[in-house]
Amino acid sequence: MVGETILEINLSALKNNVQLLREKIKKDTMLLAVVKAFAYGSDAVKIAQFLETLGVDYFAVAYIREGVKLREAGVKTPILVLHPQPINFPLILDYNLEPSLYSFNTLNSFAKVADSNGRENYPVHIKFNTGLNRLGFKSTELTEVIDVIKANKSIAVTSIFSHLAASEDSNERSFTQAQIKQFKSITEHFKSLYGRSVLRHLYNTSGVINFPEGQFDMVRCGIGIYGYDNTEDGKSKFMPVVALKTIISQIHTIEKGQSVGYNRAFVANQTKRIATLPIGHADGIGRQYGNGVGTVRVHGNSAPIVGNVCMDMIMIDVTEVDCEEGDEVVLFDKQTTAEAFAGNANTISYELLTGISQRVKRKFITE
Ligand SMILES: *Cc1c(COP(=O)(O)O)cnc(C)c1O
């Protein structure tokens, strides 16, 4: 019995997914676990600590403050910061984090900060843009990038990397293959000009699943670790790590013509039993799930969300379901995946998972 809204986090499933990814990559390929955004909405510190015991080689976060939290909790594994903001560069040094440098602005300003702190050969990661057009140097800037790096003794390149634009999309295979080819040529050019060995990495989870040929020295996996592989064949061996559960706070019987919730968005066409749940858009169930778009499970039966989603509550139709106040309700779990729940509202597991707010209690289980 859950007693309140909880996000259940299954560490055995996490371990299973890491093992599965390890089986898919070559023996000497390193595994970087992406733990940005509270480890995809779960709990970055606990997840990173657990993954550290599994011997994951690297972590990545998006922002510097996310990395600081992990270091404060005692995480020792190298941490790549994917999207650092120059205003926080001093924290990179204080907390032994490793920046992605993706522009001349970030490269020059980080080299300066490291230099003025008396650092030498501080580990940095250089990002190239191969088609996503989000962050990264152009391949045509490579020579100038190397010149700047060589002129700055304060930094040394640990890795060069890029990011795929459509690795999960089978209609874009030729685009992805062109990105792999372009990245390979960048790495060769970079190595010959830089003269020191550097790690190379390109893939996210779907890269690993769909393209065996371009794993290079490391892969960066997020969603796979949390149990989703973005394939639609329904045969995934990845196990969803989190389950979102709540309880029934109150049940009302309403008559034909009566309404439910704000703006009277649901009006009963017959006598209905309506259950109110202590979870709303402030917990991460957005308004797009209202008015029948989202359905939940009560004792294995599906029950639609009726009316508008409130900040702290949703109402569901349990007319056909034998249930009472205090009973458990499942929003998503292994059976109704976050991918499926999100899909009903035309969004993706990533958005649903990372949107589960911090006020939802996290509960760790193994099974
Ligand atoms: C978030 C992110 C990843 C992880 O992607 P998944 O699809 O979750 O495996 C990898 N690399 C970069 C640069 C990212 O921003």
Side-chain angles (χ1 to χ4, degrees), residues 34 36 40 82 127 134 163 204-205 220-223 350:
V34 181
K36 62 192 178 190
Y40 287 47
L82 294 165
K127 183 166 202 185
R134 196 173 69 172
H163 194 34
N204 60 351
T205 300
R220 307 182 304 271
C221 294
I223 201 75
Y350 296 75

Side-chain angles (χ1 to χ4, degrees), residues 212-223:
E213 69 271 24
Q215 295 178 356
F216 296 96
D217 304 308
M218 184 157 79
V219 294
R220 307 182 304 271
C221 294
I223 201 75

Side-chain angles (χ1 to χ4, degrees), residues 313-331:
M313 282 164 258
I314 54 177
M315 280 70 88
I316 59 171
D317 181 350
V318 291
T319 309
E320 307 295 333
V321 183
D322 182 12
C323 60
E324 53 186 87
E325 292 173 1
D327 284 359
E328 181 174 308
V329 178
V330 175
L331 285 95

Side-chain angles (χ1 to χ4, degrees), residues 239-307:
M239 287 163 61
V241 168
V242 300
L244 185 61
K245 300 177 178 178
T246 188
I247 60 165
I248 294 175
S249 298
Q250 190 176 15
I251 295 177
H252 295 284
T253 298
I254 63 164
E255 301 304 331
K256 181 177 175 179
Q258 292 186 317
S259 62
V260 175
Y262 287 132
N263 305 104
R264 309 191 60 213
F266 176 82
V267 179
N269 59 1
Q270 60 173 86
T271 303
K272 290 276 188 188
R273 260 168 40 101
I274 302 293
T276 301
L277 315 180
I279 183 167
H281 63 72
D283 301 285
I285 303 303
R287 282 175 56 92
Q288 68 269 32
Y289 293 99
N291 299 302
V293 172
T295 55
V296 302
R297 271 184 10 246
V298 186
H299 302 312
N301 304 285
S302 118
I305 298 173
V306 294

Side-chain angles (χ1 to χ4, degrees), residues 169-232:
D169 190 343
S170 55
N171 295 318
E172 295 289 356
R173 286 190 74 87
S174 60
F175 185 89
T176 303
Q177 267 143 1
Q179 276 196 283
I180 298 169
K181 211 170 142 210
Q182 198 199 347
F183 181 65
K184 187 158 186 283
S185 125
I186 290 170
T187 62
E188 283 159 10
H189 197 181
F190 192 98
K191 275 190 173 176
S192 73
L193 291 178
Y194 189 48
R196 303 193 203 182
S197 79
V198 296
L199 296 171
R200 305 157 301 165
H201 46 109
L202 177 62
Y203 281 0
N204 60 351
T205 300
S206 294
V208 173
I209 306 291
N210 297 324
F211 298 89
E213 69 271 24
Q215 295 178 356
F216 296 96
D217 304 308
M218 184 157 79
V219 294
R220 307 182 304 271
C221 294
I223 201 75
I225 287 179
Y226 306 104
Y228 297 101
D229 65 4
N230 294 328
T231 55
E232 282 152 19

